């Protein structure tokens, strides 16, 4: 029961932060022919080793649900890259002084930054057909990232990202 509460709390925290995803794909691709995949051996995800394992495990599970399996001689390869960056502060408090009415007045406004800058993470997933098409599908996700999150929260966040990324795969043409 304790683990369920932790998972629900992590899920609530994950669902509050938006995940933005942009897709692109080759419209001439027949996505029905892609039934097996593998990862590039020299892939540098930009994630920690533990987060890479969490991400790949979750991706394997979600691909299997879609009927696409991991294979030694795949139909396509997956490349994953990520980067973290500090988002600009957006919240400010404005304090204003001014005059009005029939008199000519002036005003002063001061913007004071509130809170800390957010750390965002961008994850790019490429599906590449090495035997012809080359890059045929790409998803780029951007979301907030907490480098100090617990393993449970990290797993929940990576799962939420993959759910959103794979929601439109294969694309409706």
């Amino acid at each position: 029961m304790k683990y369920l509460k932790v998972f629900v709390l992590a899920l609530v925290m994950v669902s509050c932060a938006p995940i933005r995803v942009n897709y692109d794909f080759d419209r001439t691709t027949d996505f029905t022919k892609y039934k097996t995949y593998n990862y590039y051996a020299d892939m540098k995800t930009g994630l920690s080793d533990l987060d890479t394992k969490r991400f790949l495990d979750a991706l394997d599970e979600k691909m299997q649900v879609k009927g696409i399996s991991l294979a030694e001689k795949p139909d396509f390869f997956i490349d994953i890259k990520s980067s973290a960056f500090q988002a600009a502060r957006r919240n400010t408090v404005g304090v204003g002084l001014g005059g009005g009415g029939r008199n000519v007045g002036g005003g002063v406004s001061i913007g004071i930054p509130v809170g800390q800058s957010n750390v965002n993470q961008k994850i790019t997933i490429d599906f590449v057909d090495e035997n012809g098409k080359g890059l045929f599908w790409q998803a780029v996700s951007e979301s907030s990232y907490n480098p100090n999150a617990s393993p449970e929260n990290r797993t929940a966040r990576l799962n939420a990202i993959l759910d959103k990324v794979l929601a439109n795969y294969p694309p409706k043409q």
Side-chain angles (χ1 to χ4, degrees):
M1 192 65 163
K2 178 182 175 185
Y3 294 110
L4 181 59
K5 288 179 184 176
V6 169
F7 179 74
V8 169
L9 179 62
L11 191 58
V12 167
M13 290 175 55
V14 164
S15 63
C16 293
I19 299 169
R20 292 168 301 285
V21 179
N22 292 311
Y23 303 93
D24 198 6
F25 62 94
D26 181 344
R27 291 206 176 272
T28 64
T29 302
D30 176 8
F31 286 90
T32 61
K33 74 177 191 173
Y34 296 112
K35 298 293 183 193
T36 60
Y37 71 95
N38 207 325
Y39 301 100
Y40 281 109
D42 61 348
M43 184 171 62
K44 292 179 176 54
T45 66
L47 301 168
S48 72
D49 289 345
L50 290 172
D51 280 346
T52 296
K53 181 173 178 6
R54 290 179 186 106
F55 195 81
L56 297 182
D57 287 348
L59 183 54
D60 289 343
E61 185 178 306
K62 291 171 190 326
M63 293 294 276
Q64 188 172 16
V65 167
K66 289 189 172 287
I68 305 169
S69 56
L70 188 63
E72 285 298 315
K73 294 186 179 190
D75 297 327
F76 69 96
F77 286 90
I78 297 177
D79 191 21
I80 300 165
K81 299 180 247 9
S82 74
S83 60
F85 58 93
Q86 206 116 19
R89 294 182 192 182
R90 294 184 185 156
N91 298 333
T92 61
V93 173
V95 178
L97 303 170
R102 300 182 126 181
N103 300 323
V104 177
V108 176
S109 178
I110 303 169
I112 304 169
V114 176
Q116 298 178 344
S117 298
N118 292 332
V119 176
N120 284 354
Q121 184 175 46
K122 177 179 172 182
I123 300 176
T124 303
I125 302 173
D126 294 334
F127 287 8
V128 181
D129 180 346
E130 290 280 321
N131 298 317
K133 277 258 181 231
L135 178 65
F136 65 91
W137 185 84
Q138 181 180 68
V140 180
S141 72
E142 188 178 312
S143 61
S144 63
Y145 169 69
N146 180 358
N148 300 318
S150 70
E152 294 83 10
N153 287 351
R154 287 173 179 260
T155 300
R157 186 69 179 162
L158 293 171
N159 269 297
I161 289 169
L162 282 168
D163 284 342
K164 189 134 186 194
V165 163
L166 294 174
N168 290 324
Y169 185 86
K172 293 163 185 61
Q173 298 181 356

